[in-house]
Amino acid sequence: MENNPRLVAWSLLTGVNPRAAHALVPDAEIDPLFAELLDIAAPAAACDPTRPPTVTSAALPGFYANQLVSADQSTVPDPRPALRSSHVPTLVLRGDCDYKRPEIAAEYAEVLPEARLVTIPDAGHVIESDQPDAYREAILGFLTPRQ
């Protein structure tokens, strides 16, 4: 990318004018690069880096669908006050080897009044790939009414 002035300009534009960045580098061009990056980073999403997630980048939304630009953070209202009044049962799943800090999942569970936080042992960020049985069991346990 550093050898391509157009992609350098695109990278700078993504933070200040995402629409202009999208016009400069459309989905068809950036999505394959994004998929390549995801494939390179896949081992970091697993508990055991020698067993990267089986979810392929082709199954994921493209680059632009995955981005929260800096400008959005200042214009989108903080969702936590509204979430505190939500009374919808919510399952918050976290792999115990997730690269995201445990406090993030804990905050979801704290903010949502009817949330249940389940940490899956020996799983990274892509729980369904690292521990498919435990993932399925957690979801089915959550969806199945308690007797």
Side-chain angles (χ1 to χ4, degrees):
M1 182 167 122
E2 64 274 354
N3 294 332
N4 185 329
R6 193 165 144 273
L7 287 179
V8 171
W10 165 83
S11 178
L12 294 170
L13 274 173
T14 58
V16 293
N17 189 335
R19 286 187 179 165
H22 192 217
L24 180 64
V25 181
D27 296 289
E29 185 176 350
I30 201 62
D31 287 352
L33 294 174
F34 183 58
E36 190 178 320
L37 177 64
L38 288 176
D39 290 339
I40 291 167
C47 203
D48 178 353
T50 64
R51 286 186 3 238
T54 56
V55 175
T56 65
S57 56
L60 301 173
F63 173 81
Y64 292 108
N66 274 285
Q67 298 310 301
L68 172 63
V69 294
S70 299
D72 288 341
Q73 293 175 358
S74 63
T75 59
V76 174
D78 183 350
R80 291 174 289 191
L83 292 174
R84 284 188 176 91
S85 64
S86 170
H87 292 285
V88 175
T90 305
L91 176 62
V92 179
L93 290 176
R94 181 183 188 283
D96 71 345
C97 304
D98 196 332
Y99 59 83
K100 294 192 178 265
R101 297 185 334 267
E103 297 84 10
I104 295 169
E107 183 176 13
Y108 277 108
E110 178 186 311
V111 166
L112 292 157
E114 296 189 38
R116 183 184 334 162
L117 172 60
V118 175
T119 299
I120 306 292
D122 300 318
H125 189 69
V126 187
I127 300 167
E128 68 274 22
S129 180
D130 273 344
Q131 296 296 331
D133 293 337
Y135 176 77
R136 190 170 25 266
E137 184 179 310
I139 292 173
L140 289 174
F142 177 75
L143 295 174
T144 304
R146 294 181 187 180
Q147 301 287 336

